[in-house]
PDB file of all heavy atoms in Angstrom:
ATOM      1  N   THR M  20       2.526 -23.329  -9.693  1.00 97.00           N
ATOM      2  CA  THR M  20       1.996 -24.099 -10.820  1.00 97.00           C
ATOM      3  C   THR M  20       2.819 -23.881 -12.074  1.00 97.00           C
ATOM      4  O   THR M  20       3.581 -22.917 -12.175  1.00 97.00           O
ATOM      5  CB  THR M  20       0.544 -23.690 -11.105  1.00 97.00           C
ATOM      6  OG1 THR M  20       0.559 -22.347 -11.599  1.00 97.00           O
ATOM      7  CG2 THR M  20      -0.292 -23.752  -9.850  1.00 97.00           C
ATOM      8  N   ARG M  23       2.212 -20.497 -13.938  1.00 97.00           N
ATOM      9  CA  ARG M  23       2.858 -19.387 -13.243  1.00 97.00           C
ATOM     10  C   ARG M  23       4.353 -19.366 -13.483  1.00 97.00           C
ATOM     11  O   ARG M  23       4.943 -18.307 -13.715  1.00 97.00           O
ATOM     12  CB  ARG M  23       2.564 -19.480 -11.737  1.00 97.00           C
ATOM     13  CG  ARG M  23       1.137 -19.122 -11.414  1.00 97.00           C
ATOM     14  CD  ARG M  23       0.797 -19.351  -9.956  1.00 97.00           C
ATOM     15  NE  ARG M  23      -0.596 -18.970  -9.701  1.00 97.00           N
ATOM     16  CZ  ARG M  23      -1.230 -19.166  -8.559  1.00 97.00           C
ATOM     17  NH1 ARG M  23      -0.622 -19.743  -7.546  1.00 97.00           N
ATOM     18  NH2 ARG M  23      -2.488 -18.790  -8.425  1.00 97.00           N
ATOM     19  N   THR M  57      -5.869 -17.146 -17.543  1.00 98.00           N
ATOM     20  CA  THR M  57      -4.822 -17.467 -16.577  1.00 98.00           C
ATOM     21  C   THR M  57      -3.685 -16.469 -16.658  1.00 98.00           C
ATOM     22  O   THR M  57      -3.108 -16.073 -15.647  1.00 98.00           O
ATOM     23  CB  THR M  57      -4.285 -18.889 -16.826  1.00 98.00           C
ATOM     24  OG1 THR M  57      -5.356 -19.797 -16.636  1.00 98.00           O
ATOM     25  CG2 THR M  57      -3.157 -19.229 -15.887  1.00 98.00           C
ATOM     26  N   ARG M  60      -4.829 -13.415 -14.840  1.00 98.00           N
ATOM     27  CA  ARG M  60      -4.844 -13.652 -13.394  1.00 98.00           C
ATOM     28  C   ARG M  60      -3.444 -13.698 -12.828  1.00 98.00           C
ATOM     29  O   ARG M  60      -3.154 -13.136 -11.768  1.00 98.00           O
ATOM     30  CB  ARG M  60      -5.578 -14.952 -13.089  1.00 98.00           C
ATOM     31  CG  ARG M  60      -7.071 -14.779 -12.967  1.00 98.00           C
ATOM     32  CD  ARG M  60      -7.732 -16.050 -12.461  1.00 98.00           C
ATOM     33  NE  ARG M  60      -7.465 -17.162 -13.382  1.00 98.00           N
ATOM     34  CZ  ARG M  60      -8.419 -17.950 -13.885  1.00 98.00           C
ATOM     35  NH1 ARG M  60      -9.681 -17.757 -13.573  1.00 98.00           N
ATOM     36  NH2 ARG M  60      -8.090 -18.931 -14.692  1.00 98.00           N
TER      37      ARG M  60
ATOM     38  P    DA F  21      -8.895 -22.745  -1.108  1.00 91.10           P
ATOM     39  OP1  DA F  21      -8.609 -22.552   0.315  1.00 91.10           O
ATOM     40  OP2  DA F  21     -10.143 -22.263  -1.717  1.00 91.10           O
ATOM     41  O5'  DA F  21      -7.666 -22.171  -1.942  1.00 91.10           O
ATOM     42  C5'  DA F  21      -6.379 -22.697  -1.693  1.00 91.10           C
ATOM     43  C4'  DA F  21      -5.634 -22.869  -3.007  1.00 91.10           C
ATOM     44  O4'  DA F  21      -6.220 -23.956  -3.773  1.00 91.10           O
ATOM     45  C3'  DA F  21      -5.659 -21.654  -3.913  1.00 91.10           C
ATOM     46  O3'  DA F  21      -4.384 -21.563  -4.515  1.00 91.10           O
ATOM     47  C2'  DA F  21      -6.763 -21.985  -4.917  1.00 91.10           C
ATOM     48  C1'  DA F  21      -6.623 -23.490  -5.045  1.00 91.10           C
ATOM     49  N9   DA F  21      -7.859 -24.205  -5.381  1.00 91.10           N
ATOM     50  C8   DA F  21      -9.086 -24.075  -4.793  1.00 91.10           C
ATOM     51  N7   DA F  21     -10.004 -24.875  -5.298  1.00 91.10           N
ATOM     52  C5   DA F  21      -9.333 -25.576  -6.276  1.00 91.10           C
ATOM     53  C6   DA F  21      -9.752 -26.596  -7.173  1.00 91.10           C
ATOM     54  N6   DA F  21     -10.991 -27.082  -7.209  1.00 91.10           N
ATOM     55  N1   DA F  21      -8.819 -27.091  -8.023  1.00 91.10           N
ATOM     56  C2   DA F  21      -7.571 -26.605  -7.978  1.00 91.10           C
ATOM     57  N3   DA F  21      -7.056 -25.654  -7.178  1.00 91.10           N
ATOM     58  C4   DA F  21      -8.006 -25.183  -6.343  1.00 91.10           C
ATOM     59  P    DT F  22      -4.069 -20.414  -5.550  1.00 91.10           P
ATOM     60  OP1  DT F  22      -2.605 -20.159  -5.469  1.00 91.10           O
ATOM     61  OP2  DT F  22      -5.032 -19.319  -5.351  1.00 91.10           O
ATOM     62  O5'  DT F  22      -4.373 -21.103  -6.960  1.00 91.10           O
ATOM     63  C5'  DT F  22      -3.618 -22.234  -7.343  1.00 91.10           C
ATOM     64  C4'  DT F  22      -4.052 -22.694  -8.715  1.00 91.10           C
ATOM     65  O4'  DT F  22      -5.359 -23.293  -8.645  1.00 91.10           O
ATOM     66  C3'  DT F  22      -4.146 -21.587  -9.772  1.00 91.10           C
ATOM     67  O3'  DT F  22      -3.265 -21.939 -10.829  1.00 91.10           O
ATOM     68  C2'  DT F  22      -5.623 -21.569 -10.177  1.00 91.10           C
ATOM     69  C1'  DT F  22      -6.053 -22.996  -9.829  1.00 91.10           C
ATOM     70  N1   DT F  22      -7.502 -23.194  -9.541  1.00 91.10           N
ATOM     71  C2   DT F  22      -8.190 -24.164 -10.240  1.00 91.10           C
ATOM     72  O2   DT F  22      -7.678 -24.860 -11.096  1.00 91.10           O
ATOM     73  N3   DT F  22      -9.514 -24.293  -9.891  1.00 91.10           N
ATOM     74  C4   DT F  22     -10.200 -23.552  -8.951  1.00 91.10           C
ATOM     75  O4   DT F  22     -11.389 -23.769  -8.722  1.00 91.10           O
ATOM     76  C5   DT F  22      -9.415 -22.557  -8.251  1.00 91.10           C
ATOM     77  C7   DT F  22     -10.065 -21.698  -7.204  1.00 91.10           C
ATOM     78  C6   DT F  22      -8.121 -22.425  -8.583  1.00 91.10           C
ATOM     79  P    DT F  23      -3.115 -21.051 -12.117  1.00 91.10           P
ATOM     80  OP1  DT F  23      -1.714 -21.190 -12.567  1.00 91.10           O
ATOM     81  OP2  DT F  23      -3.686 -19.727 -11.850  1.00 91.10           O
ATOM     82  O5'  DT F  23      -4.051 -21.805 -13.154  1.00 91.10           O
ATOM     83  C5'  DT F  23      -3.816 -23.187 -13.413  1.00 91.10           C
ATOM     84  C4'  DT F  23      -4.894 -23.721 -14.336  1.00 91.10           C
ATOM     85  O4'  DT F  23      -6.155 -23.706 -13.625  1.00 91.10           O
ATOM     86  C3'  DT F  23      -5.101 -22.877 -15.590  1.00 91.10           C
ATOM     87  O3'  DT F  23      -4.807 -23.676 -16.723  1.00 91.10           O
ATOM     88  C2'  DT F  23      -6.582 -22.457 -15.540  1.00 91.10           C
ATOM     89  C1'  DT F  23      -7.182 -23.418 -14.522  1.00 91.10           C
ATOM     90  N1   DT F  23      -8.299 -22.878 -13.696  1.00 91.10           N
ATOM     91  C2   DT F  23      -9.531 -23.494 -13.742  1.00 91.10           C
ATOM     92  O2   DT F  23      -9.770 -24.455 -14.450  1.00 91.10           O
ATOM     93  N3   DT F  23     -10.485 -22.930 -12.921  1.00 91.10           N
ATOM     94  C4   DT F  23     -10.330 -21.836 -12.089  1.00 91.10           C
ATOM     95  O4   DT F  23     -11.253 -21.438 -11.396  1.00 91.10           O
ATOM     96  C5   DT F  23      -9.022 -21.245 -12.092  1.00 91.10           C
ATOM     97  C7   DT F  23      -8.743 -20.049 -11.223  1.00 91.10           C
ATOM     98  C6   DT F  23      -8.074 -21.779 -12.890  1.00 91.10           C
ATOM     99  P    DG F  24      -4.525 -22.984 -18.133  1.00 91.10           P
ATOM    100  OP1  DG F  24      -3.527 -23.773 -18.873  1.00 91.10           O
ATOM    101  OP2  DG F  24      -4.308 -21.548 -17.903  1.00 91.10           O
ATOM    102  O5'  DG F  24      -5.948 -23.165 -18.822  1.00 91.10           O
ATOM    103  C5'  DG F  24      -6.471 -24.468 -18.980  1.00 91.10           C
ATOM    104  C4'  DG F  24      -7.812 -24.394 -19.682  1.00 91.10           C
ATOM    105  O4'  DG F  24      -8.819 -23.927 -18.746  1.00 91.10           O
ATOM    106  C3'  DG F  24      -7.866 -23.437 -20.871  1.00 91.10           C
ATOM    107  O3'  DG F  24      -8.687 -24.056 -21.854  1.00 91.10           O
ATOM    108  C2'  DG F  24      -8.526 -22.184 -20.291  1.00 91.10           C
ATOM    109  C1'  DG F  24      -9.453 -22.767 -19.239  1.00 91.10           C
ATOM    110  N9   DG F  24      -9.712 -21.930 -18.076  1.00 91.10           N
ATOM    111  C8   DG F  24      -8.881 -20.991 -17.521  1.00 91.10           C
ATOM    112  N7   DG F  24      -9.391 -20.420 -16.453  1.00 91.10           N
ATOM    113  C5   DG F  24     -10.638 -21.026 -16.303  1.00 91.10           C
ATOM    114  C6   DG F  24     -11.652 -20.820 -15.329  1.00 91.10           C
ATOM    115  O6   DG F  24     -11.637 -20.047 -14.364  1.00 91.10           O
ATOM    116  N1   DG F  24     -12.754 -21.637 -15.533  1.00 91.10           N
ATOM    117  C2   DG F  24     -12.874 -22.539 -16.558  1.00 91.10           C
ATOM    118  N2   DG F  24     -13.988 -23.229 -16.606  1.00 91.10           N
ATOM    119  N3   DG F  24     -11.933 -22.741 -17.479  1.00 91.10           N
ATOM    120  C4   DG F  24     -10.851 -21.954 -17.287  1.00 91.10           C
TER     121       DG F  24
END
Side-chain angles (χ1 to χ4, degrees):
Chain M
T20 68
R23 288 174 179 173
T57 298
R60 274 188 300 231

